[in-house]
Amino acid sequence: MTDQAAALRELISSLRTDPSRQQDSSGTSGKTAHVVAVTSGKGGVGKSNFTLNFALELQKLGQKVLVFDADIGMANIDVLMGVRSRYNLFHLLKREKSISEIIQVGPNSLPFVAGGSGLTELFSLSEEDLLYFTHQIEEVAQDMDYILFDTGAGLSKETIRFITASDESIVVTTPEPTSITDAYALVKVVHDLEETARFRLVVNRASNRREAQQTADKIRLVADQFLHLDIPLLGHISDDSHVSQAVKKQTPFSIRFPNSQASKDIQELAFRYTQRSMQIRSDSPKGIKGFVSRLLKR
Ligand SMILES: Nc1ncnc2c1ncn2[C@@H]1O[C@H](COP(=O)(O)OP(=O)(O)OP(=O)(O)O)[C@@H](O)[C@H]1O
Ligand SMILES: [Mg+2]
């Protein structure tokens, strides 16, 4: 516990003393993809399954969505889709491929960028590489309504950058106390670094709506009390054995078992998300331009 606290402090101070953090990038005007980071404090809570099936449901609702596997080291969105990823971010960074070449197509023609070793490279790029990457990603973003980043769990420096660079973060938690406390810890660290960061909760593996609400209330209460931060509950997904069955079949659960409770839940959640009242109100939406500059500034 003490070790963890020390590591956290070190992480925070390293991010704070980074001079690039002092300069705020300007938002973009005009239409730009809404950038969402899907994250969690604790690992294995269902981020990747959520991201993938949420993207598929948004797509069904007529939205253009790009899924970006930003999990450093443990990339697996492609495995969940049963798609062999030939190229990933690494090839883009090495300028071996253009962004349109590394975007692959999953079930229901869902476009995605596979993760891999590329992301560690991302944070040590030359200025020229950076410009290339920025232009490439901006190009595809023009056509998208949403870009969803499936991040690694926990508080790595890279993940925190993804979160603070995004327009909003969806924090996935389960009803387990360890998942709840880690979710709050993540929110707190990010909030301390970037007050404007906006979060929403998704409670995964809930027994029922009531348990989801109670789980969310625990986080919301402390966030309100100690951070004066509102973290709306976006929705929940039931604990449903169809999810792991679908994982084993390497097919998204919403496609394999469309009538399962988990599928009904994610469908409802995605619908709610697209409703106006649920849209995050940001004073200066960062969009993709803001996202890449914030992400990559050193
Ligand atoms: N709603 C659910 N009901 C039942 N099981 C679930 C549910 N969501 C996830 N799981 C189980 O949890 C496993 C881990 O899910 P997933 O890979 O999406 O988590 P993750 O948060 O992305 O993990 P990591 O932190 O390693 O990236 C799944 O393979 C599945 O077995
Ligand atoms: Mg994952």
mmCIF file of all heavy atoms in Angstrom, residues 198-245:
data_model
loop_
_atom_site.group_PDB
_atom_site.id
_atom_site.type_symbol
_atom_site.label_atom_id
_atom_site.label_comp_id
_atom_site.label_asym_id
_atom_site.label_seq_id
_atom_site.Cartn_x
_atom_site.Cartn_y
_atom_site.Cartn_z
ATOM 1 N N ARG A 198 -13.249 14.631 -17.885
ATOM 2 C CA ARG A 198 -14.631 14.219 -17.603
ATOM 3 C C ARG A 198 -14.753 12.702 -17.646
ATOM 4 O O ARG A 198 -14.203 12.056 -18.517
ATOM 5 C CB ARG A 198 -15.578 14.844 -18.641
ATOM 6 C CG ARG A 198 -15.748 16.341 -18.457
ATOM 7 C CD ARG A 198 -16.517 16.661 -17.171
ATOM 8 N NE ARG A 198 -16.419 18.056 -16.792
ATOM 9 C CZ ARG A 198 -15.554 18.546 -15.898
ATOM 10 N NH1 ARG A 198 -14.706 17.755 -15.293
ATOM 11 N NH2 ARG A 198 -15.530 19.824 -15.607
ATOM 12 N N PHE A 199 -15.503 12.184 -16.696
ATOM 13 C CA PHE A 199 -15.622 10.730 -16.552
ATOM 14 C C PHE A 199 -17.073 10.290 -16.547
ATOM 15 O O PHE A 199 -17.955 11.026 -16.133
ATOM 16 C CB PHE A 199 -15.032 10.278 -15.208
ATOM 17 C CG PHE A 199 -13.622 10.695 -14.999
ATOM 18 C CD1 PHE A 199 -13.335 11.899 -14.360
ATOM 19 C CD2 PHE A 199 -12.586 9.907 -15.437
ATOM 20 C CE1 PHE A 199 -12.024 12.294 -14.168
ATOM 21 C CE2 PHE A 199 -11.273 10.295 -15.248
ATOM 22 C CZ PHE A 199 -10.994 11.491 -14.607
ATOM 23 N N ARG A 200 -17.244 9.056 -16.958
ATOM 24 C CA ARG A 200 -18.523 8.394 -16.792
ATOM 25 C C ARG A 200 -18.283 6.964 -16.356
ATOM 26 O O ARG A 200 -17.280 6.376 -16.726
ATOM 27 C CB ARG A 200 -19.262 8.388 -18.103
ATOM 28 C CG ARG A 200 -20.157 9.606 -18.174
ATOM 29 C CD ARG A 200 -20.977 9.404 -19.276
ATOM 30 N NE ARG A 200 -20.482 10.087 -20.432
ATOM 31 C CZ ARG A 200 -21.343 10.530 -21.319
ATOM 32 N NH1 ARG A 200 -22.619 10.337 -21.131
ATOM 33 N NH2 ARG A 200 -20.927 11.139 -22.377
ATOM 34 N N LEU A 201 -19.219 6.446 -15.624
ATOM 35 C CA LEU A 201 -19.047 5.091 -15.096
ATOM 36 C C LEU A 201 -19.856 4.076 -15.877
ATOM 37 O O LEU A 201 -20.989 4.347 -16.282
ATOM 38 C CB LEU A 201 -19.539 5.037 -13.649
ATOM 39 C CG LEU A 201 -18.687 5.723 -12.592
ATOM 40 C CD1 LEU A 201 -19.450 5.734 -11.277
ATOM 41 C CD2 LEU A 201 -17.354 4.991 -12.439
ATOM 42 N N VAL A 202 -19.251 2.928 -16.059
ATOM 43 C CA VAL A 202 -19.995 1.766 -16.518
ATOM 44 C C VAL A 202 -19.737 0.662 -15.500
ATOM 45 O O VAL A 202 -18.588 0.385 -15.161
ATOM 46 C CB VAL A 202 -19.529 1.320 -17.920
ATOM 47 C CG1 VAL A 202 -20.024 -0.082 -18.240
ATOM 48 C CG2 VAL A 202 -20.026 2.300 -18.979
ATOM 49 N N VAL A 203 -20.805 0.107 -14.972
ATOM 50 C CA VAL A 203 -20.650 -0.997 -14.025
ATOM 51 C C VAL A 203 -20.849 -2.299 -14.800
ATOM 52 O O VAL A 203 -21.931 -2.567 -15.323
ATOM 53 C CB VAL A 203 -21.639 -0.887 -12.848
ATOM 54 C CG1 VAL A 203 -21.451 -2.072 -11.898
ATOM 55 C CG2 VAL A 203 -21.430 0.434 -12.106
ATOM 56 N N ASN A 204 -19.785 -3.045 -14.877
ATOM 57 C CA ASN A 204 -19.837 -4.312 -15.604
ATOM 58 C C ASN A 204 -19.987 -5.466 -14.604
ATOM 59 O O ASN A 204 -19.615 -5.348 -13.441
ATOM 60 C CB ASN A 204 -18.557 -4.490 -16.423
ATOM 61 C CG ASN A 204 -18.631 -5.703 -17.349
ATOM 62 O OD1 ASN A 204 -19.721 -6.107 -17.781
ATOM 63 N ND2 ASN A 204 -17.490 -6.294 -17.662
ATOM 64 N N ARG A 205 -20.557 -6.536 -15.065
ATOM 65 C CA ARG A 205 -20.756 -7.760 -14.273
ATOM 66 C C ARG A 205 -21.658 -7.531 -13.071
ATOM 67 O O ARG A 205 -21.475 -8.147 -12.018
ATOM 68 C CB ARG A 205 -19.415 -8.352 -13.847
ATOM 69 C CG ARG A 205 -18.409 -8.465 -14.981
ATOM 70 C CD ARG A 205 -17.292 -9.404 -14.685
ATOM 71 N NE ARG A 205 -17.782 -10.777 -14.591
ATOM 72 C CZ ARG A 205 -16.996 -11.847 -14.644
ATOM 73 N NH1 ARG A 205 -15.699 -11.702 -14.787
ATOM 74 N NH2 ARG A 205 -17.506 -13.046 -14.556
ATOM 75 N N ALA A 206 -22.639 -6.656 -13.237
ATOM 76 C CA ALA A 206 -23.578 -6.398 -12.140
ATOM 77 C C ALA A 206 -24.618 -7.511 -12.095
ATOM 78 O O ALA A 206 -24.998 -8.066 -13.128
ATOM 79 C CB ALA A 206 -24.259 -5.054 -12.368
ATOM 80 N N SER A 207 -25.082 -7.820 -10.865
ATOM 81 C CA SER A 207 -26.137 -8.840 -10.732
ATOM 82 C C SER A 207 -27.450 -8.284 -11.251
ATOM 83 O O SER A 207 -28.288 -9.016 -11.768
ATOM 84 C CB SER A 207 -26.332 -9.241 -9.274
ATOM 85 O OG SER A 207 -25.112 -9.578 -8.704
ATOM 86 N N ASN A 208 -27.642 -6.998 -11.032
ATOM 87 C CA ASN A 208 -28.867 -6.352 -11.496
ATOM 88 C C ASN A 208 -28.656 -4.836 -11.474
ATOM 89 O O ASN A 208 -27.619 -4.341 -11.046
ATOM 90 C CB ASN A 208 -30.061 -6.735 -10.609
ATOM 91 C CG ASN A 208 -29.728 -6.563 -9.135
ATOM 92 O OD1 ASN A 208 -29.216 -5.519 -8.735
ATOM 93 N ND2 ASN A 208 -29.987 -7.584 -8.340
ATOM 94 N N ARG A 209 -29.675 -4.131 -11.926
ATOM 95 C CA ARG A 209 -29.599 -2.676 -12.020
ATOM 96 C C ARG A 209 -29.338 -2.030 -10.651
ATOM 97 O O ARG A 209 -28.608 -1.048 -10.538
ATOM 98 C CB ARG A 209 -30.925 -2.156 -12.602
ATOM 99 C CG ARG A 209 -30.888 -0.728 -13.097
ATOM 100 C CD ARG A 209 -32.232 -0.327 -13.679
ATOM 101 N NE ARG A 209 -32.568 -1.114 -14.870
ATOM 102 C CZ ARG A 209 -32.236 -0.762 -16.101
ATOM 103 N NH1 ARG A 209 -31.591 0.357 -16.317
ATOM 104 N NH2 ARG A 209 -32.561 -1.515 -17.130
ATOM 105 N N ARG A 210 -29.946 -2.615 -9.646
ATOM 106 C CA ARG A 210 -29.819 -2.041 -8.312
ATOM 107 C C ARG A 210 -28.369 -2.124 -7.825
ATOM 108 O O ARG A 210 -27.822 -1.162 -7.280
ATOM 109 C CB ARG A 210 -30.759 -2.796 -7.356
ATOM 110 C CG ARG A 210 -30.883 -2.152 -6.019
ATOM 111 C CD ARG A 210 -32.178 -2.556 -5.311
ATOM 112 N NE ARG A 210 -32.056 -2.195 -3.914
ATOM 113 C CZ ARG A 210 -31.672 -3.044 -2.976
ATOM 114 N NH1 ARG A 210 -31.393 -4.295 -3.282
ATOM 115 N NH2 ARG A 210 -31.573 -2.639 -1.726
ATOM 116 N N GLU A 211 -27.764 -3.283 -8.059
ATOM 117 C CA GLU A 211 -26.368 -3.425 -7.640
ATOM 118 C C GLU A 211 -25.467 -2.452 -8.416
ATOM 119 O O GLU A 211 -24.522 -1.887 -7.871
ATOM 120 C CB GLU A 211 -25.883 -4.864 -7.855
ATOM 121 C CG GLU A 211 -24.497 -5.076 -7.248
ATOM 122 C CD GLU A 211 -23.902 -6.447 -7.531
ATOM 123 O OE1 GLU A 211 -24.036 -6.951 -8.671
ATOM 124 O OE2 GLU A 211 -23.310 -7.015 -6.611
ATOM 125 N N ALA A 212 -25.785 -2.268 -9.688
ATOM 126 C CA ALA A 212 -25.012 -1.321 -10.507
ATOM 127 C C ALA A 212 -25.131 0.092 -9.937
ATOM 128 O O ALA A 212 -24.142 0.813 -9.797
ATOM 129 C CB ALA A 212 -25.511 -1.360 -11.951
ATOM 130 N N GLN A 213 -26.347 0.449 -9.591
ATOM 131 C CA GLN A 213 -26.595 1.790 -9.040
ATOM 132 C C GLN A 213 -25.854 1.970 -7.712
ATOM 133 O O GLN A 213 -25.213 3.002 -7.475
ATOM 134 C CB GLN A 213 -28.106 1.989 -8.842
ATOM 135 C CG GLN A 213 -28.514 3.414 -8.523
ATOM 136 C CD GLN A 213 -28.222 4.377 -9.675
ATOM 137 O OE1 GLN A 213 -28.697 4.159 -10.795
ATOM 138 N NE2 GLN A 213 -27.428 5.414 -9.435
ATOM 139 N N GLN A 214 -25.918 0.935 -6.887
ATOM 140 C CA GLN A 214 -25.235 1.022 -5.581
ATOM 141 C C GLN A 214 -23.718 1.137 -5.763
ATOM 142 O O GLN A 214 -23.049 1.892 -5.050
ATOM 143 C CB GLN A 214 -25.556 -0.217 -4.735
ATOM 144 C CG GLN A 214 -26.972 -0.186 -4.178
ATOM 145 C CD GLN A 214 -27.395 -1.524 -3.576
ATOM 146 O OE1 GLN A 214 -26.750 -2.550 -3.815
ATOM 147 N NE2 GLN A 214 -28.478 -1.512 -2.809
ATOM 148 N N THR A 215 -23.204 0.398 -6.731
ATOM 149 C CA THR A 215 -21.761 0.453 -7.015
ATOM 150 C C THR A 215 -21.377 1.865 -7.460
ATOM 151 O O THR A 215 -20.413 2.452 -6.961
ATOM 152 C CB THR A 215 -21.413 -0.560 -8.136
ATOM 153 O OG1 THR A 215 -21.814 -1.860 -7.708
ATOM 154 C CG2 THR A 215 -19.936 -0.552 -8.454
ATOM 155 N N ALA A 216 -22.159 2.373 -8.387
ATOM 156 C CA ALA A 216 -21.870 3.716 -8.906
ATOM 157 C C ALA A 216 -21.991 4.754 -7.788
ATOM 158 O O ALA A 216 -21.162 5.679 -7.701
ATOM 159 C CB ALA A 216 -22.826 4.040 -10.047
ATOM 160 N N ASP A 217 -22.992 4.598 -6.951
ATOM 161 C CA ASP A 217 -23.206 5.573 -5.869
ATOM 162 C C ASP A 217 -21.994 5.678 -4.947
ATOM 163 O O ASP A 217 -21.658 6.760 -4.477
ATOM 164 C CB ASP A 217 -24.449 5.202 -5.048
ATOM 165 C CG ASP A 217 -25.730 5.517 -5.803
ATOM 166 O OD1 ASP A 217 -25.641 6.216 -6.842
ATOM 167 O OD2 ASP A 217 -26.810 5.051 -5.383
ATOM 168 N N LYS A 218 -21.354 4.535 -4.710
ATOM 169 C CA LYS A 218 -20.179 4.551 -3.824
ATOM 170 C C LYS A 218 -19.095 5.444 -4.413
ATOM 171 O O LYS A 218 -18.474 6.238 -3.703
ATOM 172 C CB LYS A 218 -19.629 3.125 -3.645
ATOM 173 C CG LYS A 218 -20.500 2.280 -2.737
ATOM 174 C CD LYS A 218 -19.973 0.862 -2.606
ATOM 175 C CE LYS A 218 -21.012 0.009 -1.901
ATOM 176 N NZ LYS A 218 -20.901 -1.409 -2.200
ATOM 177 N N ILE A 219 -18.864 5.305 -5.692
ATOM 178 C CA ILE A 219 -17.818 6.117 -6.335
ATOM 179 C C ILE A 219 -18.275 7.574 -6.445
ATOM 180 O O ILE A 219 -17.519 8.505 -6.167
ATOM 181 C CB ILE A 219 -17.473 5.543 -7.731
ATOM 182 C CG1 ILE A 219 -16.934 4.120 -7.573
ATOM 183 C CG2 ILE A 219 -16.466 6.444 -8.456
ATOM 184 C CD1 ILE A 219 -16.709 3.380 -8.866
ATOM 185 N N ARG A 220 -19.512 7.749 -6.822
ATOM 186 C CA ARG A 220 -20.031 9.104 -7.019
ATOM 187 C C ARG A 220 -19.995 9.914 -5.732
ATOM 188 O O ARG A 220 -19.696 11.111 -5.741
ATOM 189 C CB ARG A 220 -21.465 9.053 -7.548
ATOM 190 C CG ARG A 220 -21.545 8.423 -8.919
ATOM 191 C CD ARG A 220 -22.896 8.613 -9.510
ATOM 192 N NE ARG A 220 -23.120 10.022 -9.834
ATOM 193 C CZ ARG A 220 -24.251 10.503 -10.305
ATOM 194 N NH1 ARG A 220 -25.264 9.703 -10.498
ATOM 195 N NH2 ARG A 220 -24.373 11.777 -10.581
ATOM 196 N N LEU A 221 -20.318 9.225 -4.639
ATOM 197 C CA LEU A 221 -20.365 9.910 -3.350
ATOM 198 C C LEU A 221 -19.000 10.467 -2.955
ATOM 199 O O LEU A 221 -18.868 11.643 -2.618
ATOM 200 C CB LEU A 221 -20.858 8.921 -2.275
ATOM 201 C CG LEU A 221 -21.391 9.552 -1.011
ATOM 202 C CD1 LEU A 221 -22.737 10.204 -1.283
ATOM 203 C CD2 LEU A 221 -21.531 8.482 0.082
ATOM 204 N N VAL A 222 -17.962 9.615 -3.040
ATOM 205 C CA VAL A 222 -16.619 10.096 -2.663
ATOM 206 C C VAL A 222 -16.098 11.112 -3.674
ATOM 207 O O VAL A 222 -15.439 12.084 -3.296
ATOM 208 C CB VAL A 222 -15.568 8.957 -2.496
ATOM 209 C CG1 VAL A 222 -15.493 8.495 -1.070
ATOM 210 C CG2 VAL A 222 -15.813 7.815 -3.437
ATOM 211 N N ALA A 223 -16.402 10.901 -4.938
ATOM 212 C CA ALA A 223 -15.937 11.853 -5.959
ATOM 213 C C ALA A 223 -16.576 13.217 -5.724
ATOM 214 O O ALA A 223 -15.932 14.258 -5.856
ATOM 215 C CB ALA A 223 -16.272 11.338 -7.356
ATOM 216 N N ASP A 224 -17.832 13.186 -5.355
ATOM 217 C CA ASP A 224 -18.538 14.442 -5.086
ATOM 218 C C ASP A 224 -17.970 15.113 -3.837
ATOM 219 O O ASP A 224 -17.669 16.301 -3.832
ATOM 220 C CB ASP A 224 -20.033 14.146 -4.925
ATOM 221 C CG ASP A 224 -20.820 15.414 -4.667
ATOM 222 O OD1 ASP A 224 -20.576 16.398 -5.390
ATOM 223 O OD2 ASP A 224 -21.650 15.421 -3.738
ATOM 224 N N GLN A 225 -17.808 14.302 -2.799
ATOM 225 C CA GLN A 225 -17.362 14.841 -1.512
ATOM 226 C C GLN A 225 -15.928 15.362 -1.558
ATOM 227 O O GLN A 225 -15.646 16.459 -1.081
ATOM 228 C CB GLN A 225 -17.477 13.728 -0.461
ATOM 229 C CG GLN A 225 -17.345 14.236 0.948
ATOM 230 C CD GLN A 225 -17.632 13.107 1.943
ATOM 231 O OE1 GLN A 225 -18.115 12.037 1.585
ATOM 232 N NE2 GLN A 225 -17.308 13.354 3.196
ATOM 233 N N PHE A 226 -15.031 14.583 -2.150
ATOM 234 C CA PHE A 226 -13.601 14.945 -2.069
ATOM 235 C C PHE A 226 -13.084 15.673 -3.307
ATOM 236 O O PHE A 226 -12.100 16.395 -3.237
ATOM 237 C CB PHE A 226 -12.759 13.699 -1.787
ATOM 238 C CG PHE A 226 -13.076 13.082 -0.452
ATOM 239 C CD1 PHE A 226 -13.764 11.887 -0.377
ATOM 240 C CD2 PHE A 226 -12.713 13.722 0.727
ATOM 241 C CE1 PHE A 226 -14.072 11.321 0.860
ATOM 242 C CE2 PHE A 226 -13.016 13.171 1.963
ATOM 243 C CZ PHE A 226 -13.701 11.966 2.039
ATOM 244 N N LEU A 227 -13.714 15.440 -4.434
ATOM 245 C CA LEU A 227 -13.199 16.069 -5.659
ATOM 246 C C LEU A 227 -14.187 17.082 -6.243
ATOM 247 O O LEU A 227 -13.883 17.753 -7.210
ATOM 248 C CB LEU A 227 -12.900 14.998 -6.725
ATOM 249 C CG LEU A 227 -12.061 13.777 -6.302
ATOM 250 C CD1 LEU A 227 -11.941 12.789 -7.444
ATOM 251 C CD2 LEU A 227 -10.674 14.219 -5.848
ATOM 252 N N HIS A 228 -15.379 17.138 -5.661
ATOM 253 C CA HIS A 228 -16.453 17.982 -6.191
ATOM 254 C C HIS A 228 -16.679 17.688 -7.668
ATOM 255 O O HIS A 228 -16.784 18.584 -8.495
ATOM 256 C CB HIS A 228 -16.158 19.468 -5.972
ATOM 257 C CG HIS A 228 -15.832 19.762 -4.545
ATOM 258 N ND1 HIS A 228 -16.765 19.632 -3.548
ATOM 259 C CD2 HIS A 228 -14.686 20.133 -3.954
ATOM 260 C CE1 HIS A 228 -16.205 19.916 -2.384
ATOM 261 N NE2 HIS A 228 -14.939 20.219 -2.598
ATOM 262 N N LEU A 229 -16.681 16.417 -7.947
ATOM 263 C CA LEU A 229 -16.761 15.966 -9.332
ATOM 264 C C LEU A 229 -17.969 15.061 -9.513
ATOM 265 O O LEU A 229 -18.188 14.136 -8.730
ATOM 266 C CB LEU A 229 -15.470 15.188 -9.649
ATOM 267 C CG LEU A 229 -15.280 14.677 -11.071
ATOM 268 C CD1 LEU A 229 -15.110 15.846 -12.039
ATOM 269 C CD2 LEU A 229 -14.045 13.768 -11.137
ATOM 270 N N ASP A 230 -18.724 15.349 -10.565
ATOM 271 C CA ASP A 230 -19.875 14.508 -10.873
ATOM 272 C C ASP A 230 -19.455 13.444 -11.888
ATOM 273 O O ASP A 230 -18.893 13.773 -12.937
ATOM 274 C CB ASP A 230 -21.014 15.378 -11.430
ATOM 275 C CG ASP A 230 -22.252 14.537 -11.701
ATOM 276 O OD1 ASP A 230 -22.471 13.549 -10.964
ATOM 277 O OD2 ASP A 230 -22.991 14.857 -12.654
ATOM 278 N N ILE A 231 -19.701 12.211 -11.552
ATOM 279 C CA ILE A 231 -19.375 11.130 -12.493
ATOM 280 C C ILE A 231 -20.656 10.359 -12.787
ATOM 281 O O ILE A 231 -21.003 9.408 -12.082
ATOM 282 C CB ILE A 231 -18.321 10.164 -11.903
ATOM 283 C CG1 ILE A 231 -17.163 10.941 -11.278
ATOM 284 C CG2 ILE A 231 -17.807 9.231 -12.982
ATOM 285 C CD1 ILE A 231 -16.091 10.038 -10.677
ATOM 286 N N PRO A 232 -21.351 10.750 -13.835
ATOM 287 C CA PRO A 232 -22.631 10.088 -14.119
ATOM 288 C C PRO A 232 -22.456 8.603 -14.437
ATOM 289 O O PRO A 232 -21.425 8.191 -14.973
ATOM 290 C CB PRO A 232 -23.136 10.830 -15.366
ATOM 291 C CG PRO A 232 -22.304 12.050 -15.490
ATOM 292 C CD PRO A 232 -21.020 11.788 -14.798
ATOM 293 N N LEU A 233 -23.470 7.864 -14.078
ATOM 294 C CA LEU A 233 -23.489 6.439 -14.434
ATOM 295 C C LEU A 233 -24.076 6.326 -15.839
ATOM 296 O O LEU A 233 -25.226 6.693 -16.079
ATOM 297 C CB LEU A 233 -24.360 5.667 -13.425
ATOM 298 C CG LEU A 233 -24.652 4.201 -13.756
ATOM 299 C CD1 LEU A 233 -23.385 3.360 -13.818
ATOM 300 C CD2 LEU A 233 -25.615 3.602 -12.722
ATOM 301 N N LEU A 234 -23.267 5.826 -16.749
ATOM 302 C CA LEU A 234 -23.743 5.676 -18.123
ATOM 303 C C LEU A 234 -24.652 4.452 -18.244
ATOM 304 O O LEU A 234 -25.625 4.462 -18.990
ATOM 305 C CB LEU A 234 -22.531 5.549 -19.058
ATOM 306 C CG LEU A 234 -22.783 5.327 -20.536
ATOM 307 C CD1 LEU A 234 -23.657 6.432 -21.116
ATOM 308 C CD2 LEU A 234 -21.459 5.260 -21.276
ATOM 309 N N GLY A 235 -24.333 3.418 -17.499
ATOM 310 C CA GLY A 235 -25.180 2.234 -17.544
ATOM 311 C C GLY A 235 -24.433 1.033 -16.991
ATOM 312 O O GLY A 235 -23.325 1.165 -16.474
ATOM 313 N N HIS A 236 -25.066 -0.117 -17.106
ATOM 314 C CA HIS A 236 -24.415 -1.314 -16.589
ATOM 315 C C HIS A 236 -24.560 -2.467 -17.577
ATOM 316 O O HIS A 236 -25.391 -2.419 -18.496
ATOM 317 C CB HIS A 236 -25.027 -1.713 -15.236
ATOM 318 C CG HIS A 236 -26.355 -2.386 -15.357
ATOM 319 N ND1 HIS A 236 -27.530 -1.690 -15.540
ATOM 320 C CD2 HIS A 236 -26.690 -3.705 -15.355
ATOM 321 C CE1 HIS A 236 -28.539 -2.544 -15.628
ATOM 322 N NE2 HIS A 236 -28.057 -3.773 -15.535
ATOM 323 N N ILE A 237 -23.734 -3.456 -17.367
ATOM 324 C CA ILE A 237 -23.841 -4.692 -18.135
ATOM 325 C C ILE A 237 -23.897 -5.826 -17.123
ATOM 326 O O ILE A 237 -23.083 -5.883 -16.184
ATOM 327 C CB ILE A 237 -22.635 -4.874 -19.078
ATOM 328 C CG1 ILE A 237 -22.550 -3.686 -20.038
ATOM 329 C CG2 ILE A 237 -22.739 -6.176 -19.873
ATOM 330 C CD1 ILE A 237 -21.179 -3.435 -20.540
ATOM 331 N N SER A 238 -24.850 -6.683 -17.319
ATOM 332 C CA SER A 238 -25.046 -7.774 -16.366
ATOM 333 C C SER A 238 -23.907 -8.777 -16.424
ATOM 334 O O SER A 238 -23.261 -8.947 -17.462
ATOM 335 C CB SER A 238 -26.342 -8.515 -16.682
ATOM 336 O OG SER A 238 -27.423 -7.625 -16.631
ATOM 337 N N ASP A 239 -23.698 -9.427 -15.296
ATOM 338 C CA ASP A 239 -22.785 -10.560 -15.270
ATOM 339 C C ASP A 239 -23.486 -11.675 -16.047
ATOM 340 O O ASP A 239 -24.593 -12.081 -15.690
ATOM 341 C CB ASP A 239 -22.539 -10.976 -13.812
ATOM 342 C CG ASP A 239 -21.420 -11.975 -13.703
ATOM 343 O OD1 ASP A 239 -20.443 -11.860 -14.464
ATOM 344 O OD2 ASP A 239 -21.507 -12.879 -12.850
ATOM 345 N N ASP A 240 -22.885 -12.114 -17.107
ATOM 346 C CA ASP A 240 -23.584 -12.999 -18.028
ATOM 347 C C ASP A 240 -22.573 -13.975 -18.634
ATOM 348 O O ASP A 240 -21.583 -13.547 -19.239
ATOM 349 C CB ASP A 240 -24.231 -12.127 -19.130
ATOM 350 C CG ASP A 240 -25.090 -12.917 -20.089
ATOM 351 O OD1 ASP A 240 -24.914 -14.151 -20.168
ATOM 352 O OD2 ASP A 240 -25.924 -12.296 -20.770
ATOM 353 N N SER A 241 -22.828 -15.260 -18.461
ATOM 354 C CA SER A 241 -21.853 -16.260 -18.935
ATOM 355 C C SER A 241 -21.716 -16.244 -20.468
ATOM 356 O O SER A 241 -20.754 -16.791 -21.018
ATOM 357 C CB SER A 241 -22.269 -17.655 -18.463
ATOM 358 O OG SER A 241 -23.541 -17.975 -18.993
ATOM 359 N N HIS A 242 -22.662 -15.613 -21.145
ATOM 360 C CA HIS A 242 -22.549 -15.517 -22.605
ATOM 361 C C HIS A 242 -21.314 -14.712 -23.009
ATOM 362 O O HIS A 242 -20.784 -14.898 -24.100
ATOM 363 C CB HIS A 242 -23.802 -14.847 -23.204
ATOM 364 C CG HIS A 242 -25.008 -15.725 -23.129
ATOM 365 N ND1 HIS A 242 -26.003 -15.544 -22.193
ATOM 366 C CD2 HIS A 242 -25.375 -16.802 -23.868
ATOM 367 C CE1 HIS A 242 -26.935 -16.469 -22.362
ATOM 368 N NE2 HIS A 242 -26.578 -17.250 -23.360
ATOM 369 N N VAL A 243 -20.890 -13.801 -22.110
ATOM 370 C CA VAL A 243 -19.717 -12.985 -22.452
ATOM 371 C C VAL A 243 -18.483 -13.870 -22.602
ATOM 372 O O VAL A 243 -17.794 -13.835 -23.617
ATOM 373 C CB VAL A 243 -19.479 -11.866 -21.409
ATOM 374 C CG1 VAL A 243 -18.202 -11.092 -21.727
ATOM 375 C CG2 VAL A 243 -20.674 -10.915 -21.362
ATOM 376 N N SER A 244 -18.245 -14.719 -21.601
ATOM 377 C CA SER A 244 -17.035 -15.547 -21.705
ATOM 378 C C SER A 244 -17.193 -16.627 -22.780
ATOM 379 O O SER A 244 -16.222 -17.005 -23.438
ATOM 380 C CB SER A 244 -16.639 -16.127 -20.349
ATOM 381 O OG SER A 244 -17.461 -17.192 -20.005
ATOM 382 N N GLN A 245 -18.415 -17.070 -22.989
ATOM 383 C CA GLN A 245 -18.631 -18.021 -24.101
ATOM 384 C C GLN A 245 -18.266 -17.381 -25.436
ATOM 385 O O GLN A 245 -17.645 -17.997 -26.290
ATOM 386 C CB GLN A 245 -20.105 -18.432 -24.166
ATOM 387 C CG GLN A 245 -20.523 -19.440 -23.105
ATOM 388 C CD GLN A 245 -22.005 -19.787 -23.251
ATOM 389 O OE1 GLN A 245 -22.471 -20.124 -24.339
ATOM 390 N NE2 GLN A 245 -22.755 -19.686 -22.176
#
